[in-house]
Amino acid sequence: MTEHRRQPAQSGSAAWAIVITSVAGFITALDNLIVTTALPSIRKDLGGGLEDLEWTVSAYTLTFAVLLMFGASLGDRFGRRRLFAVGLAIFTAASAAAALAPGMSELIAARAAQGVGAAIVTPLTLTLLSAAVPAERRGAAFGIWGAASGIAVATGPLIGGTLTQHLSWQWIFWVNVPIGLALIPLALLRLDESHGPHPSLDLVGTVLVSGGLFGIVYALVRGNADGWTSTPVLGGFFAGAALLIGFVLYELRAKHPMLPMRLFRHRSFSTINIASLLMFLGMFGAIFLLSQYLQTVGGYSPMQAGVRMLPWTAMPMIAGPLAGVLSDRIGGGPVVAVGMALNAVGLGLWALAVEPQVAYTHLLPALIVCGIGMGMFFAPSANLVMSTVRPEEQGIASGANNAIREVGGAIGVASLAAVFSAQGGYGSASLFVDGLVPALWVGAGAVGVAAALAFLMPRRREGHGPAAGLAAEDAPLAA
């Protein structure tokens, strides 16, 4: 079907699109990390063990990751504005259900439903924005949209801590409800409808990858509780791996695959995506545990913990623009590699510094180093992904990279928590630190491997745009 666009001058549609999509991007990005500083309060109120806390984070990131590209396909087929409103409705209703959850099982189910809504909303924010804003103004529009999502990630732990401390943990979910209810009619009234050029749905691929990732994460979460050689855990690993292999084989033959495997023939595309997965594995897993450390061991209130996370989470807002300028001069590969190396060093510094009783100032250098590393990673890595594919493939390449990052986050929370629970626990401050230190070293190792992969990327000037990557599009992975 053809695209239907309203002239930008009519009814201020471009301005409305920027506002609506940026606010929608903000609330969906916010729910990635807003829950982290509320975890101790949730555990105290609803009970449950470490695996339940893991699922409150991973249920969102996992459904978000595996349905991200499927959500974009739904919009292409049934109408982007219509599905954008549907996604907002799901996200809003699930947020209310999470706030009203009487137990951990209900909360986890609501978080999974939030992820479904976010997976529909997030990819459509960019397509709706592109349709409404003239080409010569899209750079500025995308900058505003990206800044809103960046601020959400940076302030998520602080907002979550503030709401939890001064109101209750339920308000980290209630805050989405009035925003969502306001956005739905605005989207229907102020955004134009459009459809994609290939309105096809990859249902088989979605089922295979969803089941495979669920099996892997389930096995990681239940490993310590059920035993790593128990039937459910081994079954989760084997079934998950088999489904993921089946997903790859199916996508190689599908007419309209949700994740075209041909993209991975480009060495730089494959490398940056593997590195991104490992980066998020270490980062999300560490933030999951460190936010609890600041409250459980450090004795800080939820809001105080959020403030003390800012040197890490907010530093990318300072380092990111500088990294972008630097990557234009020397290429994105070296900047991303150094950023990942700094993250690995920062996690190592955390592991060396954490003790049952330690001053916050001793932990501050690790936070700052991690924050600078994150800032050097985000913008240049996005440019690297875009530079390795043709212009018409940039949307699906970006969706694939975002999905892989979220998968890394879900696996990171599960795997680092598994290390933590195997070596320590919540019984005392010393026991918590006993589990935290090896988990941080595992996270540092994962990010260190990511840095090594980035350093091995082909040394070409990614700043020349998509054409720079096309020359090597068919280069084998071993090239």
Side-chain angles (χ1 to χ4, degrees), residues 373-448:
M374 278 179 58
M376 294 181 69
F377 166 79
F378 281 119
S381 68
N383 188 42
L384 281 172
V385 171
M386 295 296 98
S387 70
T388 58
V389 298
R390 292 188 171 93
E392 64 270 19
E393 295 177 327
Q394 288 184 351
I396 197 164
S398 176
N401 182 251
N402 282 318
I404 288 169
R405 290 181 182 188
E406 294 292 333
V407 167
I411 294 175
V413 169
S415 57
L416 265 64
V419 175
F420 168 83
S421 59
Q423 302 294 324
Y426 291 102
S428 66
S430 297
L431 195 61
F432 193 101
V433 171
D434 288 342
L436 177 61
V437 170
L440 287 175
W441 282 120
V442 170
V447 180

Side-chain angles (χ1 to χ4, degrees), residues 340-352 363 365-367 369-370 440 444:
M340 290 177 173
L342 287 175
N343 267 279
V345 170
L347 291 178
L349 291 175
W350 261 98
L352 293 172
L363 306 175
L367 285 168
V369 170
C370 283
L440 287 175

Side-chain angles (χ1 to χ4, degrees), residues 40 52 129 134 179 192 201 253 257 301 324 353 363 421 460:
D52 297 307
L129 196 57
I179 299 175
D192 291 328
L201 299 178
R253 295 170 174 80
S301 68
L363 306 175
S421 59
R460 62 170 62 90

Side-chain angles (χ1 to χ4, degrees), residues 315-355:
M315 186 61 70
M317 299 177 66
I318 300 172
L322 299 177
V325 172
L326 186 60
S327 67
D328 286 339
R329 294 186 177 181
I330 66 173
V335 178
V336 167
V338 171
M340 290 177 173
L342 287 175
N343 267 279
V345 170
L347 291 178
L349 291 175
W350 261 98
L352 293 172
V354 290
E355 295 176 1

Side-chain angles (χ1 to χ4, degrees), residues 54 58 216-218 220-221 228 285 409-419:
E54 293 174 59
S58 296
I216 298 294
V217 173
Y218 173 84
L220 287 169
V221 169
W228 292 101
I411 294 175
V413 169
S415 57
L416 265 64
V419 175

Side-chain angles (χ1 to χ4, degrees), residues 270-344:
S270 298
T271 303
I272 192 59
N273 277 286
I274 295 170
S276 295
L277 184 145
L278 293 171
M279 171 72 176
F280 269 63
L281 188 155
M283 183 182 70
F284 261 69
I287 290 175
F288 171 77
L289 293 171
L290 291 175
S291 60
Q292 297 181 70
Y293 167 82
L294 289 172
Q295 296 177 66
T296 304
V297 179
Y300 296 109
S301 68
M303 186 179 74
Q304 290 172 332
V307 169
R308 282 159 178 79
M309 294 286 286
L310 282 177
W312 185 349
T313 57
M315 186 61 70
M317 299 177 66
I318 300 172
L322 299 177
V325 172
L326 186 60
S327 67
D328 286 339
R329 294 186 177 181
I330 66 173
V335 178
V336 167
V338 171
M340 290 177 173
L342 287 175
N343 267 279

Side-chain angles (χ1 to χ4, degrees), residues 166-247:
H166 293 290
L167 296 171
S168 68
W169 65 262
Q170 285 88 349
W171 278 93
I172 67 175
F173 302 115
W174 280 127
V175 71
N176 295 326
V177 175
I179 299 175
L181 291 176
L183 286 177
I184 293 170
L186 281 176
L188 294 173
L189 291 172
R190 296 293 181 177
L191 297 179
D192 291 328
E193 186 60 282
S194 64
H195 297 77
H198 301 294
S200 57
L201 299 178
D202 186 2
L203 292 173
V204 175
T206 300
V207 170
L208 288 172
V209 71
S210 301
L213 291 171
F214 177 81
I216 298 294
V217 173
Y218 173 84
L220 287 169
V221 169
R222 295 300 304 171
N224 285 306
D226 295 345
W228 292 101
T229 58
S230 65
T231 300
V233 171
L234 290 178
F237 279 127
F238 285 120
L243 288 172
L244 290 179
I245 293 171
F247 168 73

